[in-house]
Amino acid sequence: MRTGVYVEMGDLREIERALGMAKDKSRVILRAAINNAAKQVEGGMVEGARKRYRFREGKSQIRRANSVRKASVGRLSAEVGAKGRANELMDFHVSPMVYVPGGWNPIEWYRARVLRQGRLKRIALRPGAGGDKYKGFIIRYPNSNGKAHYALAQRVPGKRMRSNPRKEAVKSLSAISTPQAEEAVYRYGMGHDVEGILMKSIQEQMHRFLG
C-alpha cells in the first residue's frame, strides 16, 4: 500500500508570491511542509489501525511495516508506504495466551479477535466438522537461531504431515496484513484529511519562516 503527499506547481507559485521570495527558498519551505505532513499522515494511519484492530504489540507492531520516502528540494513529494504479508492470528488478541506442551490440553477453548470492537470467537471448525478434534491450539515452532516461535494453529482434516504421515497436518492461522489494515483506515477516513493536513503544514512553515 502506498499513498503520496505532494503539491502542484500552482501552489508553489502562490507561496512565492505570498512570501515575495525566490523559487529556491519556497521549495525549501515546501520540502519541510511536505515531510511534516507525511509524518502526520503516517502517524494518523498507525493510530487509526491501532484503534480499529487489536494488534498485540500496538503501534510498534504496525510501524514495522511502514516506510516514508521524504521530499527533497528537487522532488516536492513524499510517499508513505507499507508492505508485509498476512499477520498470524497470534499477532492479535488471543485468549488464553498459554502454550501447553504435550498431547493433553486442559484448555477448553482458545478464542481470538482481530477487530478491537469485535467479540472473542472460539477457534474451531464449524459444528459437525470434527468437534473437539479440530479445536485451535498454540503450537511451538523451533527457530534456527534457537528462539521459539509460537502460533495459534489447527489440524487440517484429511491432510497428513510430511514428517509423520500418521498425524494430520497442522496450519498456523492467519489474519489481515498490516498494509491492509492501514489501507482500510486510509480509505475510510484518513485519506480525506491529507490535503487539509498539507495545507496546514504549509501555513505553519510559512509563519515559522516569517517569524
Side-chain angles (χ1 to χ4, degrees), residues 49-121:
R50 185 196 67 81
K51 288 181 177 179
R52 180 177 174 84
Y53 300 95
R54 193 63 157 73
F55 284 94
R56 182 158 56 99
E57 297 178 26
K59 290 183 180 181
S60 62
Q61 182 178 345
I62 302 167
R63 282 204 168 97
R64 285 198 292 269
N66 292 354
S67 63
V68 179
R69 184 187 181 196
K70 292 185 176 182
S72 65
V73 172
R75 181 181 53 81
L76 292 175
S77 65
E79 189 176 78
V80 180
K83 63 180 181 179
R85 295 178 293 181
N87 288 299
E88 292 188 353
L89 192 53
M90 191 83 163
D91 292 327
F92 296 91
H93 186 189
V94 173
S95 179
M97 289 283 289
V98 177
Y99 166 65
V100 181
W104 179 72
N105 193 338
I107 296 171
E108 184 178 7
W109 294 102
Y110 282 94
R111 293 175 169 83
R113 64 175 172 176
V114 174
L115 289 172
R116 187 168 289 277
Q117 300 302 322
R119 297 177 60 185
L120 281 165
K121 296 181 180 180

Side-chain angles (χ1 to χ4, degrees), residues 106-151:
I107 296 171
E108 184 178 7
W109 294 102
Y110 282 94
R111 293 175 169 83
R113 64 175 172 176
V114 174
L115 289 172
R116 187 168 289 277
Q117 300 302 322
R119 297 177 60 185
L120 281 165
K121 296 181 180 180
R122 291 178 178 179
I123 304 303
L125 291 183
R126 62 189 183 279
D132 288 358
K133 183 178 179 182
Y134 296 110
K135 292 194 304 184
F137 58 94
I138 292 180
I139 191 171
R140 178 181 183 273
Y141 295 107
N143 283 0
S144 58
N145 60 7
K147 185 178 180 181
H149 173 74
Y150 297 89

Side-chain angles (χ1 to χ4, degrees), residues 9 11-24 26-27:
M9 291 310 295
D11 298 323
L12 177 59
R13 287 190 288 271
E14 184 176 341
I15 292 170
E16 290 170 14
R17 288 194 297 269
L19 296 179
M21 63 177 60
K23 183 182 294 184
D24 290 346
S26 299
R27 284 182 171 272

